[in-house]
Short mmCIF file of all heavy atoms in Angstrom, two decimals:
data_model
loop_
_atom_site.label_atom_id
_atom_site.label_comp_id
_atom_site.label_asym_id
_atom_site.label_seq_id
_atom_site.Cartn_x
_atom_site.Cartn_y
_atom_site.Cartn_z
N ASP A 1 29.02 4.99 -59.34
CA ASP A 1 28.30 4.80 -58.12
C ASP A 1 27.61 3.39 -58.13
O ASP A 1 27.65 2.62 -57.14
CB ASP A 1 27.28 5.84 -57.88
CG ASP A 1 27.86 7.22 -57.54
OD1 ASP A 1 29.14 7.20 -57.16
OD2 ASP A 1 27.20 8.26 -57.58
N ALA A 2 26.92 3.08 -59.29
CA ALA A 2 26.32 1.83 -59.36
C ALA A 2 27.27 0.59 -59.44
O ALA A 2 27.11 -0.44 -58.77
CB ALA A 2 25.41 1.72 -60.63
N LEU A 3 28.38 0.77 -60.15
CA LEU A 3 29.40 -0.28 -60.20
C LEU A 3 30.04 -0.52 -58.77
O LEU A 3 30.35 -1.65 -58.37
CB LEU A 3 30.51 0.10 -61.13
CG LEU A 3 30.10 -0.04 -62.66
CD1 LEU A 3 31.22 0.72 -63.54
CD2 LEU A 3 30.01 -1.48 -63.08
N HIS A 4 30.14 0.57 -58.06
CA HIS A 4 30.68 0.51 -56.68
C HIS A 4 29.68 -0.35 -55.83
O HIS A 4 30.22 -1.30 -55.14
CB HIS A 4 30.77 1.86 -56.04
CG HIS A 4 31.27 1.84 -54.67
ND1 HIS A 4 30.99 2.86 -53.82
CD2 HIS A 4 32.12 1.08 -54.02
CE1 HIS A 4 31.56 2.64 -52.63
NE2 HIS A 4 32.29 1.45 -52.75
N GLN A 5 28.39 -0.07 -55.85
CA GLN A 5 27.47 -0.82 -55.05
C GLN A 5 27.41 -2.28 -55.49
O GLN A 5 27.29 -3.24 -54.68
CB GLN A 5 26.08 -0.19 -55.08
CG GLN A 5 25.99 1.25 -54.56
CD GLN A 5 26.43 1.19 -53.03
OE1 GLN A 5 25.93 0.38 -52.32
NE2 GLN A 5 27.23 2.14 -52.65
N PHE A 6 27.53 -2.49 -56.80
CA PHE A 6 27.49 -3.94 -57.32
C PHE A 6 28.70 -4.66 -56.85
O PHE A 6 28.59 -5.74 -56.33
CB PHE A 6 27.38 -3.84 -58.85
CG PHE A 6 27.65 -5.20 -59.51
CD1 PHE A 6 26.64 -6.08 -59.59
CD2 PHE A 6 28.88 -5.54 -60.04
CE1 PHE A 6 26.87 -7.31 -60.19
CE2 PHE A 6 29.16 -6.70 -60.61
CZ PHE A 6 28.16 -7.70 -60.70
N SER A 7 29.85 -4.04 -56.87
CA SER A 7 31.05 -4.73 -56.50
C SER A 7 31.02 -5.05 -54.96
O SER A 7 31.51 -6.13 -54.55
CB SER A 7 32.30 -3.88 -56.79
OG SER A 7 32.39 -2.71 -56.05
N LEU A 8 30.46 -4.20 -54.14
CA LEU A 8 30.43 -4.49 -52.64
C LEU A 8 29.54 -5.67 -52.45
O LEU A 8 29.79 -6.52 -51.64
CB LEU A 8 29.82 -3.21 -52.00
CG LEU A 8 30.68 -1.98 -51.93
CD1 LEU A 8 30.07 -0.88 -51.20
CD2 LEU A 8 32.07 -2.34 -51.25
N ALA A 9 28.43 -5.71 -53.26
CA ALA A 9 27.60 -6.88 -53.07
C ALA A 9 28.25 -8.22 -53.54
O ALA A 9 28.13 -9.31 -52.90
CB ALA A 9 26.30 -6.70 -53.92
N ARG A 10 29.06 -8.20 -54.62
CA ARG A 10 29.79 -9.28 -55.08
C ARG A 10 30.89 -9.71 -54.20
O ARG A 10 31.13 -10.88 -53.98
CB ARG A 10 30.30 -9.02 -56.51
CG ARG A 10 29.32 -9.20 -57.63
CD ARG A 10 28.66 -10.56 -57.74
NE ARG A 10 29.74 -11.60 -57.99
CZ ARG A 10 29.45 -12.87 -58.15
NH1 ARG A 10 28.21 -13.39 -57.93
NH2 ARG A 10 30.42 -13.67 -58.48
N ILE A 11 31.51 -8.73 -53.58
CA ILE A 11 32.60 -9.09 -52.64
C ILE A 11 32.02 -9.81 -51.45
O ILE A 11 32.52 -10.86 -50.86
CB ILE A 11 33.29 -7.75 -52.08
CG1 ILE A 11 34.09 -7.13 -53.27
CG2 ILE A 11 34.18 -8.05 -50.83
CD1 ILE A 11 34.75 -5.84 -52.88
N GLN A 12 30.81 -9.37 -50.98
CA GLN A 12 30.13 -10.03 -49.85
C GLN A 12 29.73 -11.42 -50.32
O GLN A 12 29.93 -12.37 -49.54
CB GLN A 12 28.83 -9.21 -49.43
CG GLN A 12 28.15 -9.80 -48.24
CD GLN A 12 28.92 -9.79 -46.95
OE1 GLN A 12 29.79 -8.92 -46.79
NE2 GLN A 12 28.68 -10.68 -46.00
N TRP A 13 29.18 -11.53 -51.52
CA TRP A 13 28.82 -12.85 -52.05
C TRP A 13 29.98 -13.83 -52.09
O TRP A 13 29.92 -15.00 -51.66
CB TRP A 13 28.19 -12.77 -53.46
CG TRP A 13 27.67 -14.01 -54.00
CD1 TRP A 13 26.39 -14.48 -53.87
CD2 TRP A 13 28.40 -15.04 -54.64
NE1 TRP A 13 26.27 -15.65 -54.54
CE2 TRP A 13 27.49 -16.10 -54.99
CE3 TRP A 13 29.79 -15.17 -55.15
CZ2 TRP A 13 27.86 -17.24 -55.67
CZ3 TRP A 13 30.13 -16.31 -55.79
CH2 TRP A 13 29.25 -17.31 -56.07
N ARG A 14 31.15 -13.36 -52.63
CA ARG A 14 32.31 -14.24 -52.74
C ARG A 14 32.88 -14.59 -51.35
O ARG A 14 33.42 -15.66 -51.14
CB ARG A 14 33.39 -13.56 -53.48
CG ARG A 14 33.04 -13.62 -55.01
CD ARG A 14 34.33 -13.68 -55.96
NE ARG A 14 35.14 -12.55 -55.71
CZ ARG A 14 36.37 -12.60 -55.46
NH1 ARG A 14 37.02 -13.73 -55.45
NH2 ARG A 14 37.19 -11.49 -55.33
N GLN A 15 32.77 -13.67 -50.37
CA GLN A 15 33.31 -13.96 -49.01
C GLN A 15 32.44 -15.11 -48.39
O GLN A 15 32.95 -15.92 -47.66
CB GLN A 15 33.09 -12.67 -48.19
CG GLN A 15 33.83 -12.71 -46.82
CD GLN A 15 33.88 -11.36 -46.16
OE1 GLN A 15 32.99 -10.59 -46.29
NE2 GLN A 15 35.00 -11.08 -45.46
N GLN A 16 31.15 -15.22 -48.79
CA GLN A 16 30.30 -16.22 -48.23
C GLN A 16 30.38 -17.54 -49.06
O GLN A 16 30.38 -18.59 -48.37
CB GLN A 16 28.85 -15.77 -48.14
CG GLN A 16 28.61 -14.63 -47.26
CD GLN A 16 27.20 -14.04 -47.20
OE1 GLN A 16 26.35 -14.58 -47.99
NE2 GLN A 16 26.85 -13.05 -46.42
N HIS A 17 30.46 -17.47 -50.39
CA HIS A 17 30.25 -18.59 -51.26
C HIS A 17 31.53 -19.04 -51.96
O HIS A 17 31.54 -20.14 -52.55
CB HIS A 17 29.23 -18.29 -52.25
CG HIS A 17 27.86 -17.97 -51.64
ND1 HIS A 17 27.05 -18.84 -51.08
CD2 HIS A 17 27.17 -16.75 -51.54
CE1 HIS A 17 25.92 -18.31 -50.57
NE2 HIS A 17 26.06 -16.98 -50.84
N ALA A 18 32.59 -18.20 -51.94
CA ALA A 18 33.81 -18.55 -52.62
C ALA A 18 34.98 -18.08 -51.80
O ALA A 18 34.95 -18.25 -50.56
CB ALA A 18 33.76 -17.81 -54.00
N ILE A 19 36.04 -17.69 -52.43
CA ILE A 19 37.27 -17.22 -51.68
C ILE A 19 37.71 -15.95 -52.20
O ILE A 19 37.76 -15.69 -53.34
CB ILE A 19 38.32 -18.32 -51.87
CG1 ILE A 19 37.96 -19.58 -51.19
CG2 ILE A 19 39.64 -17.81 -51.24
CD1 ILE A 19 38.98 -20.78 -51.48
N LEU A 20 37.98 -14.99 -51.22
CA LEU A 20 38.51 -13.71 -51.59
C LEU A 20 40.07 -13.71 -51.66
O LEU A 20 40.71 -14.50 -50.96
CB LEU A 20 38.04 -12.67 -50.58
CG LEU A 20 36.65 -12.32 -50.53
CD1 LEU A 20 36.35 -11.31 -49.35
CD2 LEU A 20 36.13 -11.63 -51.79
N PHE A 21 40.63 -12.85 -52.47
CA PHE A 21 42.01 -12.70 -52.50
C PHE A 21 42.53 -12.07 -51.24
O PHE A 21 41.95 -11.15 -50.66
CB PHE A 21 42.44 -11.78 -53.79
CG PHE A 21 42.02 -12.37 -55.08
CD1 PHE A 21 41.33 -11.63 -55.92
CD2 PHE A 21 42.47 -13.58 -55.47
CE1 PHE A 21 40.99 -12.09 -57.26
CE2 PHE A 21 42.07 -14.11 -56.72
CZ PHE A 21 41.35 -13.39 -57.59
N LYS A 22 43.76 -12.55 -50.86
CA LYS A 22 44.45 -11.88 -49.73
C LYS A 22 44.92 -10.48 -50.24
O LYS A 22 45.36 -10.36 -51.26
CB LYS A 22 45.58 -12.69 -49.22
CG LYS A 22 45.21 -14.07 -48.60
CD LYS A 22 44.36 -13.91 -47.42
CE LYS A 22 44.00 -15.26 -46.79
NZ LYS A 22 43.05 -16.03 -47.57
N ASP A 23 44.80 -9.51 -49.32
CA ASP A 23 45.18 -8.13 -49.64
C ASP A 23 46.66 -7.92 -49.51
O ASP A 23 47.14 -7.49 -48.53
CB ASP A 23 44.38 -7.14 -48.79
CG ASP A 23 44.38 -5.80 -49.33
OD1 ASP A 23 44.71 -5.58 -50.50
OD2 ASP A 23 44.02 -4.86 -48.57
N ARG A 24 47.41 -8.32 -50.57
CA ARG A 24 48.81 -8.09 -50.60
C ARG A 24 49.19 -6.97 -51.58
O ARG A 24 48.50 -6.92 -52.63
CB ARG A 24 49.55 -9.40 -50.97
CG ARG A 24 49.31 -10.59 -49.90
CD ARG A 24 50.17 -11.76 -50.35
NE ARG A 24 49.84 -12.89 -49.49
CZ ARG A 24 48.98 -13.89 -49.67
NH1 ARG A 24 48.29 -13.79 -50.86
NH2 ARG A 24 48.79 -14.82 -48.90
N PRO A 25 50.23 -6.26 -51.33
CA PRO A 25 50.56 -5.13 -52.23
C PRO A 25 51.22 -5.53 -53.47
O PRO A 25 51.93 -6.68 -53.46
CB PRO A 25 51.46 -4.23 -51.39
CG PRO A 25 52.13 -5.22 -50.47
CD PRO A 25 51.13 -6.20 -50.13
N ASP A 26 51.13 -4.83 -54.56
CA ASP A 26 51.94 -4.98 -55.72
C ASP A 26 53.12 -3.94 -55.60
O ASP A 26 52.82 -2.81 -55.31
CB ASP A 26 51.30 -4.70 -57.05
CG ASP A 26 50.15 -5.76 -57.30
OD1 ASP A 26 50.44 -6.94 -57.04
OD2 ASP A 26 49.06 -5.41 -57.85
N TYR A 27 54.31 -4.35 -55.86
CA TYR A 27 55.45 -3.44 -55.70
C TYR A 27 55.93 -3.00 -57.08
O TYR A 27 56.25 -3.81 -57.94
CB TYR A 27 56.63 -4.22 -55.02
CG TYR A 27 56.37 -4.55 -53.51
CD1 TYR A 27 56.01 -5.81 -53.18
CD2 TYR A 27 56.38 -3.54 -52.53
CE1 TYR A 27 55.76 -6.14 -51.84
CE2 TYR A 27 56.20 -3.84 -51.26
CZ TYR A 27 55.79 -5.20 -50.87
OH TYR A 27 55.53 -5.43 -49.58
N ASN A 28 55.79 -1.74 -57.30
CA ASN A 28 56.02 -1.18 -58.63
C ASN A 28 57.31 -0.34 -58.67
O ASN A 28 57.43 0.63 -57.81
CB ASN A 28 54.78 -0.34 -59.08
CG ASN A 28 53.60 -1.21 -59.34
OD1 ASN A 28 53.65 -2.27 -59.97
ND2 ASN A 28 52.46 -0.89 -58.74
N PHE A 29 58.04 -0.53 -59.66
CA PHE A 29 59.21 0.32 -59.85
C PHE A 29 58.92 1.53 -60.63
O PHE A 29 58.40 1.52 -61.72
CB PHE A 29 60.34 -0.45 -60.63
CG PHE A 29 60.87 -1.64 -59.92
CD1 PHE A 29 60.27 -2.95 -60.11
CD2 PHE A 29 61.86 -1.56 -59.05
CE1 PHE A 29 60.73 -4.07 -59.51
CE2 PHE A 29 62.32 -2.68 -58.33
CZ PHE A 29 61.76 -3.94 -58.54
N ILE A 30 59.22 2.77 -60.01
CA ILE A 30 59.06 4.04 -60.68
C ILE A 30 60.42 4.47 -61.27
O ILE A 30 61.43 4.51 -60.53
CB ILE A 30 58.52 5.06 -59.67
CG1 ILE A 30 57.31 4.47 -58.86
CG2 ILE A 30 58.21 6.33 -60.43
CD1 ILE A 30 56.10 4.11 -59.71
N LEU A 31 60.39 4.60 -62.56
CA LEU A 31 61.67 4.87 -63.25
C LEU A 31 61.85 6.39 -63.57
O LEU A 31 60.81 7.07 -63.98
CB LEU A 31 61.72 4.12 -64.58
CG LEU A 31 61.58 2.63 -64.50
CD1 LEU A 31 61.74 1.89 -65.88
CD2 LEU A 31 62.56 2.01 -63.48
N ALA A 32 63.04 6.88 -63.39
CA ALA A 32 63.36 8.28 -63.78
C ALA A 32 63.60 8.33 -65.31
O ALA A 32 63.59 7.30 -65.98
CB ALA A 32 64.62 8.78 -63.01
N ASP A 33 63.75 9.49 -65.83
CA ASP A 33 63.93 9.70 -67.30
C ASP A 33 65.20 9.05 -67.82
O ASP A 33 65.26 8.58 -68.96
CB ASP A 33 63.99 11.22 -67.65
CG ASP A 33 62.64 11.91 -67.33
OD1 ASP A 33 61.67 11.25 -67.34
OD2 ASP A 33 62.74 13.18 -67.20
N ASN A 34 66.21 8.87 -66.92
CA ASN A 34 67.50 8.19 -67.40
C ASN A 34 67.35 6.64 -67.24
O ASN A 34 68.28 5.90 -67.42
CB ASN A 34 68.65 8.66 -66.52
CG ASN A 34 68.53 8.39 -65.07
OD1 ASN A 34 67.51 7.87 -64.64
ND2 ASN A 34 69.51 8.81 -64.32
N GLY A 35 66.19 6.13 -66.81
CA GLY A 35 65.92 4.72 -66.70
C GLY A 35 66.18 4.11 -65.36
O GLY A 35 65.97 2.91 -65.11
#
């Protein structure tokens, strides 16, 4: 809970004073047992 609140404050800080990452997905390959 505390880490969550801290991170929200830092996200707000970076939005004002730095640059936030663009919210793009990571595409992950899910492999079956046979590869």
Side-chain angles (χ1 to χ4, degrees):
D1 292 343
L3 286 168
H4 180 210
Q5 294 305 311
F6 170 80
S7 68
L8 293 178
R10 282 298 298 177
I11 289 171
Q12 183 67 27
W13 184 94
R14 286 208 301 128
Q15 193 168 33
Q16 295 176 0
H17 302 286
I19 295 174
L20 292 177
F21 297 126
K22 296 294 184 293
D23 196 15
R24 299 187 183 93
D26 291 324
Y27 294 101
N28 292 311
F29 295 93
I30 310 303
L31 305 181
D33 292 340
N34 61 1

